[in-house]
Amino acid sequence: MIPKMEVYQQLLESKIVAVIRGKDAQEAIAVAEASIQGGLKAIEVTYTTPNVAKVFEKLSESDALIGAGTVLDAETARHAILHGAKFVVSPQFDSSIAKLCNRYSVPYLPGCMTVKEMVQANEYGCDILKLFPANGFEPSFIGSVNGPLPHVRIMPTGGINIENMNDWLEAGAVAVGIGSDLTKTYRSSGKDAVSELVKDYLKRLA
């Protein structure tokens, strides 16, 4: 198992996390593999993907950091960890997930929208918080939070694209989550187009 702090470091260095939400396992594998081929080093596979265990099994062969997304409860978090997830992400903060992830030294990135939720998540040992859905906020929100809470590290997800990504990073985001762009590109143009899109994202990194 990769040490917890090493996982955090890899996430911070990657800056972009691909959020893969496939209509089935085959699509999720294809989009994830194309993203990795394009140069992304951090992949979040959501539990809304049918037969998600197959995706984890296949992606375990890659050298990318593979995590689990849309984890709604501790039981799902444990399933993800047993299937090789190196980090766990949820759309909300859940104390039972936080405790389980801490027990097994796995980073937990919960979705938070308010300062109260962020403080609570920090108290449970969450070092990177997902601002979700980010399309309900402006990038300046991060600076407003970091005023009273300078130690909070925020990863916006939801509505992040190649045009606004750097606005968030320059505003203080430690990383961003992207997803719909990748899936839409795969469905319209295939794996090679996803890889090329990823390369464009990486070229534009702040």
Side-chain angles (χ1 to χ4, degrees), residues 17-33 35 42-52 55-56 59 67-72 89-92 111 130-134 155 157-159 177-187 194:
V17 177
V19 182
I20 309 298
R21 195 182 302 277
K23 65 181 180 181
D24 52 39
Q26 288 71 28
E27 181 179 75
I29 290 168
V31 177
E33 288 181 338
S35 299
I43 306 291
E44 172 192 330
V45 182
T46 72
Y47 263 77
T48 53
T49 302
N51 299 314
V52 70
V55 186
F56 286 119
L59 296 183
T70 320
V71 175
L72 302 180
V89 185
S90 64
Q92 87 293 7
K130 181 174 78 165
L131 177 63
F132 178 80
M155 181 181 78
T157 304
I178 64 171
S180 58
D181 269 6
L182 304 177
T183 304
K184 289 176 183 176
T185 299
Y186 173 75
R187 290 174 182 173
V194 173

Side-chain angles (χ1 to χ4, degrees), residues 55-151:
V55 186
F56 286 119
E57 180 180 355
K58 180 63 176 177
L59 296 183
S60 67
E61 302 168 6
S62 77
D63 60 356
L65 189 70
I66 309 300
T70 320
V71 175
L72 302 180
D73 49 52
E75 291 80 6
T76 305
R78 183 61 177 146
H79 181 272
I81 293 168
L82 287 173
H83 284 83
K86 300 300 187 291
F87 60 96
V88 171
V89 185
S90 64
Q92 87 293 7
F93 171 73
D94 184 282
S95 61
S96 64
I97 297 176
K99 289 178 180 178
L100 183 134
C101 287
N102 278 333
R103 184 177 303 133
Y104 296 104
S105 195
V106 172
Y108 172 43
L109 288 66
C112 298
M113 293 179 68
T114 67
V115 170
K116 180 178 180 180
E117 290 171 334
M118 292 177 182
V119 170
Q120 184 182 28
N122 270 171
E123 289 173 347
Y124 275 85
C126 303
D127 291 306
I128 298 178
L129 310 181
K130 181 174 78 165
L131 177 63
F132 178 80
N135 53 11
F137 298 85
E138 295 293 329
S140 60
F141 178 76
I142 294 179
S144 299
V145 170
N146 284 157
L149 303 174
H151 56 287

